[in-house]
Amino acid sequence: MVEEINPFEVVKTQIDIVAKEIGLDPNVVEYLKRIERALIVTIPILMDDGSLQIFEGYRVHHSTVRGPGKGGVRFSPHVYLDEVKALATWMTWKTSLLNLPLGGAKGGVCVDPRKLSKKELERLTRRYTAEIINLIGPDIDIPAPDVNTNAQIMAWMMDVYSMQKGRTVPGVVTGKPIEIGGSVGRESATGMGLYFVLEALCEKLGLKLENQSIIVQGFGNVGGNIAELLYNRGCKVLAVSDISTGIYCQNGVDVEKLLEWVKQGKLLKDYEEKNYKNITNEELLTLECDILVPAAIENQITEKNANAIKSKIVLEGANGPTTPEADAILFKKGIHVVPDILANSGGVCVSYFEYIQDIHSYFWKLDRINEELKRILLEAFEETYKISQERNISLRTAAYIIAVTRIAKAIELRGIFP
Ligand code: NAD
């Protein structure tokens, strides 16, 4: 599915939708459909067996008009330039929607990290960082974890950058281990943000969160965290999935046990339990449930399966899981789609807190992190919800109106150089 739909074409369609809604200057529309810069790098890696393997990597800045670039680094065999361009653009909207003084960026390496040893993964990360070093920095662009990258990978990136500068620069990446300048609450922040926004939406819709049944696609950082939070809230989690399979149980799965399993680096297809049924990722999306959380990759809900979605709410943990055609179908069906740029923005929000803490060399307690996170996300949610109600438009279009308007204003105020 990933290759079929180009996510950067999706981005352009989304820009056209919001431009039409608010009558955006066509020159600005054209500008927003471009990225500021992209770097393609070759990463030669000496493998443990002495052979040489060459990988391709990318770092893209979509917009730094409101501040330094911000965005994750993805290691996946499906990564390609247009995907990274799309992900960078979505970061621009996300930081703007939350009104953070940051822009949008993203990076990736086309590699299947499961096929690398830990040493090979470290060499790949270090060489990738060295290759993109001129494009990153605390006041240029600050990477963070994304699919198949984690705190350890951020530690290696921070080390390479610091070695080059001749001093420790923790603020060059976020999502680091706490021992070297990471923030408490960062690892669970995206899931926590999804939870806060979902709670707020349920309240608007008069739904009791604990009575809702849940399905989560993608059981990694984002999907695992939101599944755990909802499970502990008392929700029935009917199904979860990773890249290998989906697991379904009519009476609900034991999220804690499944998390224990995947945290050992194991795949769900190897998990065995009486009453659990293996299903495909495609089947999982169209099962009966109250809240569907796509938390894996892009283009999962398309015009092909949107009509078959049965949930009341789609809470986008992943970036770009729903195509514009599917969006229109879901809106017609009365399904509330909480868009990625709002729903999963808890990650970038706490990344911003980590960045501030690193710059000030002063670290916050978890209570403060979660309190500020909730405040910022609920402000964005309330604003988005209000616009969607006033104009009778989707939450996505409403969120885009806020985000794009702020970017357009920044462009207007700064003017075009020279
Ligand atoms: P992760 O690597 O921790 O987990 C990804 C999960 O998705 C894994 O369970 C993996 O097996 C599964 N998966 C991968 N490819 C799949 C496929 N083709 N079909 C089904 N499942 C598949 O990654 P993550 O950090 O949890 O990121 C997941 C999504 O959330 C991505 O879209 C990412 O851009 C987005 N996101 C992440 C963060 C963050 O803080 N990590 C923040 C905002 C958005």
Side-chain angles (χ1 to χ4, degrees):
M1 258 194 208
V2 183
E3 275 78 21
E4 271 176 32
I5 302 163
N6 180 327
F8 200 56
E9 293 305 319
V10 169
V11 160
K12 291 181 195 168
T13 306
Q14 290 168 332
I15 295 173
D16 283 334
I17 291 170
V18 68
K20 200 169 149 209
E21 186 68 34
I22 56 175
L24 197 60
D25 175 350
N27 292 318
V28 175
V29 174
E30 269 323 293
Y31 188 20
L32 294 178
K33 286 182 181 174
R34 309 290 179 108
I35 52 152
E36 278 178 11
R37 59 189 68 84
L39 184 62
I40 303 176
V41 296
T42 295
I43 309 164
I45 296 301
L46 215 43
M47 306 303 280
D48 293 346
D49 65 4
S51 66
L52 185 76
Q53 271 195 35
I54 297 175
F55 301 92
E56 189 161 283
Y58 314 91
R59 188 74 197 170
V60 171
H61 296 171
H62 169 256
S63 172
T64 56
V65 70
R66 299 182 77 249
K70 188 86 195 79
V73 175
R74 178 174 292 196
F75 286 175
S76 154
H78 305 293
V79 165
Y80 66 113
L81 184 58
D82 269 9
E83 181 188 46
V84 184
K85 283 161 69 173
L87 290 162
T89 313
W90 287 323
M91 287 307 298
T92 302
W93 310 145
K94 213 181 285 188
T95 53
S96 175
L97 176 63
L98 297 192
N99 213 356
L100 306 177
L102 296 167
K106 203 84 180 191
V109 178
C110 184
V111 60
D112 185 349
R114 276 179 306 236
K115 294 192 175 143
L116 302 185
S117 70
K118 190 166 180 204
K119 277 285 159 208
E120 288 164 346
L121 187 62
E122 178 175 352
R123 287 197 284 277
L124 177 97
T125 304
R126 288 185 181 278
R127 182 64 188 250
Y128 168 67
T129 311
E131 293 293 343
I132 63 162
I133 208 147
N134 291 327
L135 242 55
I136 60 172
D139 44 16
I140 303 172
D141 168 18
I142 308 115
D146 192 76
V147 174
N148 290 329
T149 56
N150 54 26
Q152 176 59 75
I153 286 170
M154 294 306 114
W156 291 327
M157 290 188 76
M158 182 267 225
D159 186 62
V160 171
Y161 188 85
S162 299
M163 287 298 122
Q164 287 286 324
K165 295 289 162 192
R167 63 193 152 84
T168 297
V169 189
V172 64
V173 290
T174 57
K176 298 177 293 294
I178 289 169
E179 295 83 348
I180 53 170
S183 174
V184 289
R186 171 59 187 92
E187 204 155 280
S188 55
T190 307
M192 192 60 94
L194 284 165
Y195 183 78
F196 289 147
V197 172
L198 179 61
E199 240 185 349
L201 179 63
C202 283
E203 202 171 303
K204 296 270 185 217
L205 301 177
L207 300 172
K208 268 201 155 169
L209 182 52
E210 52 275 23
N211 292 348
Q212 308 307 306
S213 60
I214 315 287
I215 288 182
V216 180
Q217 184 198 42
F219 201 53
N221 176 308
V222 177
N225 272 301
I226 184 64
E228 187 176 28
L229 286 164
L230 293 174
Y231 179 74
N232 289 333
R233 174 73 183 250
C235 300
K236 195 193 275 183
V237 179
L238 295 172
V240 297
S241 72
D242 67 5
I243 195 164
S244 70
T245 188
I247 285 184
Y248 170 80
C249 179
Q250 207 181 345
N251 300 325
V253 297
D254 186 329
V255 171
E256 297 292 0
K257 276 195 182 159
L258 289 171
L259 276 175
E260 242 174 67
W261 183 261
V262 296
K263 279 182 182 162
Q264 296 166 43
K266 294 178 183 165
L267 289 170
L268 289 178
K269 75 174 169 53
D270 299 319
Y271 190 87
E272 279 178 26
E273 177 106 26
K274 216 171 69 182
N275 302 329
Y276 283 16
K277 201 173 123 196
N278 280 27
I279 51 170
T280 65
N281 263 291
E282 288 77 35
E283 287 167 338
L284 169 135
L285 293 171
T286 55
L287 287 175
E288 198 95 42
C289 69
D290 296 317
I291 297 163
L292 175 65
V293 190
I297 51 162
E298 305 88 71
N299 299 335
Q300 295 304 295
I301 305 175
T302 68
E303 59 188 329
K304 287 188 188 149
N305 61 0
N307 265 313
I309 302 286
K310 298 178 188 73
S311 65
K312 291 188 280 228
I313 295 172
V314 173
L315 181 69
E316 293 189 337
N319 287 309
T322 313
T323 64
E325 296 76 19
D327 242 344
I329 296 170
L330 297 179
F331 186 64
K332 254 199 199 146
K333 278 167 69 93
I335 296 176
H336 301 271
V337 179
V338 191
D340 46 9
I341 64 166
L342 172 63
N344 72 31
S345 62
V348 74
C349 190
V350 177
S351 268
Y352 171 61
F353 299 159
E354 179 175 333
Y355 166 74
I356 296 172
Q357 293 170 82
D358 287 338
I359 288 171
H360 291 186
S361 286
Y362 183 79
F363 290 85
W364 307 357
K365 295 259 185 256
L366 186 58
D367 284 356
R368 179 171 176 195
I369 298 276
N370 284 336
E371 198 179 301
E372 298 259 335
L373 171 67
K374 192 169 184 178
R375 179 183 62 76
I376 292 176
L377 291 198
L378 291 190
E379 261 176 40
F381 171 78
E382 286 297 338
E383 211 180 333
T384 302
Y385 191 80
K386 186 164 169 267
I387 293 175
S388 81
Q389 293 291 301
E390 282 169 1
R391 293 185 175 232
N392 191 25
I393 53 176
S394 67
L395 288 169
R396 185 177 329 271
T397 307
Y400 268 62
I401 288 177
I402 301 165
V404 171
T405 303
R406 276 197 190 119
I407 299 287
K409 187 69 189 172
I411 293 170
E412 182 198 321
L413 288 169
R414 288 183 58 166
I416 303 293
F417 173 84

